[in-house]
Amino acid sequence: MALPACAVQAFEPPRQPERGAPARTTCPRQHSRVEAELAASRPGSVAASVRAGPPRGVSHGFHSRPLLDKPRKASSSLAGAACAPLFALLSRGRRRRMHVLRRRWDLGSLCRVLLTRGLAALGHSLKHVLGAIFSKIFGPLASVGNMDEKSNKLLLALVMLFLFAVIVLQYVCPGTECQLLRLQAFSSPVPDPYRSEDESSARFVPRYNFTRGDLLRKVDFDIKGDDLIVFLHIQKTGGTTFGRHLVRNIQLEQPCECRVGQKKCTCHRPGKRETWLFSRFSTGWSCGLHADWTELTSCVPSVVDGKRDARLRPSRNFHYITILRDPVSRYLSEWRHVQRGATWKASLHVCDGRPPTSEELPSCYTGDDWSGCPLKEFMDCPYNLANNRQVRMLSDLTLVGCYNLSVMPEKQRNKVLLESAKSNLKHMAFFGLTEFQRKTQYLFEKTFNMNFISPFTQYNTTRASSVEINEEIQKRIEGLNFLDMELYSYAKDLFLQRYQFMRQKEHQEARRKRQEQRKFLKGRLLQTHFQSQGQGQSQNPNQNQSQNPNPNANQNLTQNLTQNLMQNLMQNLTQSLSQKENRESLKQNSGKEQNDNTSNGTNDYIGSVEKWR
């Protein structure tokens, strides 16, 4: 039987290296590799079929047979001779890269095997350790038949359950602060949400005397009518946050429509295409950037009803609201804002129908902005509007000649501005303080009878708090804002007194409702008692007559006992109620008058009971 040409060439003596082939080296491994590559380049050779190996990206595995430099048997070469021409078509560099790739795959297989065996050994050791612990704990139960197999299954189930719990915990609580781990929240009592927010003493001692009308702020705001809320936004007082609460965080029959990417929201009344809120986030800066009291009072009516005839304009109620802040913190926050490039050049400062001239209101800087200015330069400017800004924006500037400083002396001007700001603030529908966010939310809800969806958040760390100043600079800032310091002290006292007054009123209302419920329940109890007695007497009249030879005498005795019981019960009830409600009057009256009042109250209460019967 004749062998094929490829098999005959395999048994021929090795040929000389071709021209251009690499020379023989002293390294036998490299020499055998070069010879194998030369043999593989010949079509039909046995070495080509041996060196062909797996295709690109496929490995023989860790237990694969090593590469052979010697030719295999003729039978195996015949089986792989068909693949030799394809491998021979590849270049030498491509074949070399394929060999390197296969060796890398063999190294990866080795790593996988080592990792698998290591994990198996670790699991085996862990199984023995946990088994020993399990046998120590549940040793007395080992006498039960086939306990070894059952314990292994139970141990495996416990381990799997623990791993599953860890995975679920990582998904539910990815951070360190997990709500589910705060177990003390279930045991500890719920704290008062309106506690002292400035970390000061909870006991408040008032300094100013205010009337009941000053403390009771209850606005009958009709959102479906013509009433309008006007928000006076003072710079760096947290007004932006409060303004967003008004348009995004308030419960309304028709909520404001806020679109993504737009600052302004559409806040229409229910069933009307008319706004109920005049603020930055509803109508924009319609009266100028950060318009003050003087500008808003003269601008808002004309903006809202400008297109209507004066005789056809509705009689609106304009409810002004604002937010105040500690003057030192506000001043530092404004300085940091100016450092970042804020100028508020768009502010109009319109007063008495005209804006101020450059001589009346000079500028503190010459360039486009005042960015990067140091604090000393910011304080040295005598025309800086940041000084006493809150008093200036809350007062009526027409009383002092607007921005013309030559109308009256400075001392008299400051006094008029401060008194005007205090008066306007006291008669406002509502004002809040940045340092008391939760109390601000509470007073707004009680004033306008409108509730917020989520509670306000108190931020104690701000840009102003990050500025470190010494005592000398702080005193100078307080001196530059001495009017604001006095106004804030007045506003804080009024704010906290209003809060305490509203809380006390809420507690009294809750106590009154509880007393009415107790009276109602006591009346129902007496009513059911007398009804049950009347039904018992009407059901067995004959039995009573047969048992009692003298029914009239028995009835008189029963009536006397019932009346005595009722009188004693009514006296106890009326005494307890009268002691709580009229404690001062009982101390002043004599004992005889007390008995008369008690008897009268008893007769009235008995009369009401007779009506129920």
Side-chain angles (χ1 to χ4, degrees):
M1 179 179 179
L3 295 175
C6 59
V8 174
Q9 292 179 1
F11 290 101
E12 290 180 359
R15 300 178 181 178
Q16 296 296 329
E18 299 178 358
R19 183 178 299 177
R24 181 182 180 88
T25 59
T26 56
C27 180
R29 181 177 300 176
Q30 185 176 2
H31 176 67
S32 61
R33 181 174 58 81
V34 173
E35 288 183 349
E37 290 179 357
L38 291 175
S41 62
R42 303 188 190 100
S45 62
V46 179
S49 62
V50 174
R51 299 294 294 178
R56 181 182 179 91
V58 181
S59 174
H60 282 297
F62 178 73
H63 300 288
S64 61
R65 299 182 62 181
L67 300 176
L68 300 176
D69 290 334
K70 294 188 286 185
R72 294 185 178 181
K73 295 181 181 181
S75 58
S76 62
S77 63
L78 291 175
C83 299
L86 297 177
F87 191 78
L89 295 177
L90 299 178
S91 61
R92 184 182 303 174
R94 186 61 174 254
R95 292 196 299 271
R96 187 178 302 171
R97 286 194 296 270
M98 291 183 65
H99 298 328
V100 174
L101 181 63
R102 189 166 63 181
R103 284 197 298 272
R104 289 179 181 175
W105 274 91
D106 292 340
L107 181 61
S109 301
L110 175 63
C111 294
R112 285 194 296 271
V113 171
L114 291 177
L115 182 61
T116 304
R117 291 184 179 181
L119 291 176
L122 181 62
H124 188 68
S125 302
L126 182 62
K127 177 181 178 182
H128 279 286
V129 171
L130 295 178
I133 296 174
F134 188 81
S135 62
K136 290 291 184 181
I137 298 175
F138 301 98
L141 300 178
S143 59
V144 183
N146 201 14
M147 188 62 192
D148 190 11
E149 183 179 357
K150 292 182 178 180
S151 63
N152 291 335
K153 292 181 179 180
L154 181 60
L155 181 62
L156 181 61
L158 291 175
V159 172
M160 295 298 294
L161 182 61
F162 175 75
L163 294 177
F164 178 75
V166 170
I167 295 173
V168 171
L169 187 63
Q170 289 296 325
Y171 275 100
V172 176
C173 305
T176 57
E177 298 181 357
C178 180
Q179 297 291 339
L180 298 178
L181 299 179
R182 297 178 181 177
L183 300 179
Q184 65 272 15
F186 296 96
S187 58
S188 61
V190 179
D192 186 7
Y194 305 108
R195 64 183 183 277
S196 181
E197 298 167 279
D198 57 349
E199 304 300 330
S200 62
S201 177
R203 184 176 180 82
F204 168 67
V205 180
R207 295 176 52 191
Y208 298 89
N209 295 325
F210 296 102
T211 63
R212 179 183 175 87
D214 297 334
L215 300 179
L216 180 59
R217 307 304 295 173
K218 187 73 174 178
V219 177
D220 188 13
F221 178 68
D222 186 11
I223 193 173
K224 296 182 180 180
D226 298 320
D227 296 349
L228 189 69
I229 295 178
V230 183
F231 180 37
L232 195 158
H233 187 177
I234 303 175
Q235 287 94 320
K236 312 312 296 178
T237 58
T240 301
T241 303
F242 185 77
R244 289 197 181 100
H245 280 302
L246 293 178
V247 298
R248 299 177 183 269
N249 188 31
I250 198 166
Q251 295 179 0
L252 297 173
E253 179 181 349
Q254 182 176 342
C256 298
E257 297 180 2
C258 301
R259 298 181 180 180
V260 180
Q262 295 182 1
K263 292 184 178 180
K264 292 197 303 182
C265 302
T266 304
C267 299
H268 285 163
R269 306 179 190 272
K272 296 182 180 180
R273 298 188 59 83
E274 183 181 355
T275 184
W276 58 269
L277 177 64
F278 192 93
S279 69
R280 169 190 178 184
F281 294 104
S282 59
T283 58
W285 302 112
S286 301
C287 293
L289 180 62
H290 289 283
D292 54 20
W293 172 271
T294 307
E295 293 177 286
L296 289 178
T297 52
S298 60
C299 172
V300 172
S302 60
V303 170
V304 176
D305 299 320
K307 297 180 180 180
R308 299 183 183 181
D309 189 4
R311 295 172 296 179
L312 300 178
R313 293 178 182 178
S315 57
R316 299 180 184 274
N317 294 321
F318 296 98
H319 304 289
Y320 287 87
I321 62 175
T322 189
I323 301 293
L324 298 181
R325 187 180 180 183
D326 176 69
V328 177
S329 300
R330 198 213 64 80
Y331 189 84
L332 292 174
S333 180
E334 182 170 346
W335 165 64
R336 293 294 300 270
H337 199 57
V338 169
Q339 269 193 332
R340 297 191 299 270
T343 58
W344 295 298
K345 289 183 179 180
S347 298
L348 302 178
H349 303 296
V350 176
C351 178
D352 203 6
R354 65 175 183 86
T357 61
S358 58
E359 290 80 11
E360 294 175 344
L361 190 61
S363 178
C364 291
Y365 54 90
T366 57
D368 295 335
D369 54 26
W370 208 6
S371 59
C373 70
L375 181 58
K376 186 178 182 305
E377 182 182 351
F378 189 77
M379 294 187 296
D380 290 341
C381 180
Y383 311 106
N384 195 348
L385 292 178
N387 301 335
N388 297 315
R389 180 182 288 276
Q390 298 183 96
V391 170
R392 179 181 58 81
M393 295 189 66
L394 290 175
S395 61
D396 188 0
L397 297 179
T398 58
L399 300 176
V400 295
C402 297
Y403 294 92
N404 188 3
L405 303 180
S406 61
V407 174
M408 62 180 64
E410 182 180 1
K411 186 176 181 180
Q412 183 181 359
R413 176 186 176 89
N414 294 334
K415 183 179 180 180
V416 173
L417 288 176
L418 181 60
E419 293 300 326
S420 176
K422 287 182 178 180
S423 177
N424 293 335
L425 186 69
K426 182 175 66 175
H427 293 94
M428 271 187 175
F430 163 81
F431 74 90
L433 299 181
T434 309
E435 289 75 18
F436 301 93
Q437 291 290 323
R438 298 300 300 275
K439 292 182 177 65
T440 298
Q441 176 185 358
Y442 174 81
L443 289 178
F444 183 87
E445 292 177 346
K446 295 299 180 182
T447 302
F448 289 96
N449 196 20
M450 301 168 70
N451 297 324
F452 291 97
I453 300 174
S454 59
F456 289 7
T457 305
Q458 183 68 44
Y459 295 102
N460 295 323
T461 302
T462 58
R463 291 188 177 94
S465 62
S466 62
V467 179
E468 296 180 0
I469 57 175
N470 53 29
E471 186 177 357
E472 181 181 358
I473 296 178
Q474 183 173 358
K475 288 184 178 179
R476 186 179 179 188
I477 294 175
E478 292 177 356
L480 293 173
N481 298 272
F482 68 98
L483 295 178
D484 277 6
M485 295 294 295
E486 189 170 351
L487 176 66
Y488 184 78
S489 177
Y490 175 86
K492 184 177 179 180
D493 192 278
L494 177 58
F495 177 84
L496 294 179
Q497 286 195 44
R498 283 181 177 177
Y499 170 75
Q500 285 191 350
F501 180 80
M502 295 299 292
R503 293 283 287 184
Q504 291 177 2
K505 185 179 179 183
E506 185 180 8
H507 293 329
Q508 292 175 0
E509 187 70 18
R511 190 183 302 113
R512 186 184 62 80
K513 289 183 179 180
R514 289 194 299 267
Q515 291 178 357
E516 290 179 355
Q517 290 178 357
R518 292 194 191 100
K519 290 181 181 180
F520 178 75
L521 292 176
K522 289 177 183 179
R524 291 294 299 272
L525 179 62
L526 291 175
Q527 182 181 2
T528 54
H529 174 70
F530 291 132
Q531 286 180 355
S532 62
Q533 285 186 351
Q535 291 178 0
Q537 292 179 2
S538 62
Q539 288 178 359
N540 301 320
N542 298 327
Q543 184 178 359
N544 293 333
Q545 291 179 2
S546 61
Q547 292 180 358
N548 299 327
N550 191 0
N552 295 326
N554 195 5
Q555 287 180 1
N556 294 331
L557 180 62
T558 304
Q559 290 179 358
N560 292 331
L561 292 176
T562 305
Q563 290 179 358
N564 293 331
L565 179 62
M566 287 174 56
Q567 288 179 358
N568 294 331
L569 180 61
M570 295 306 109
Q571 286 179 0
N572 295 330
L573 293 176
T574 53
Q575 285 178 1
S576 61
L577 294 175
S578 61
Q579 287 177 0
K580 292 182 180 178
E581 296 178 353
N582 302 320
R583 186 173 298 173
E584 296 181 357
S585 61
L586 289 175
K587 289 182 180 179
Q588 297 177 359
N589 296 332
S590 61
K592 183 178 180 180
E593 292 177 352
Q594 289 181 3
N595 295 330
D596 295 337
N597 294 334
T598 304
S599 61
N600 293 331
T602 305
N603 295 330
D604 295 338
Y605 200 85
I606 292 174
S608 62
V609 172
E610 292 295 334
K611 290 181 180 180
W612 289 337
R613 294 181 60 186

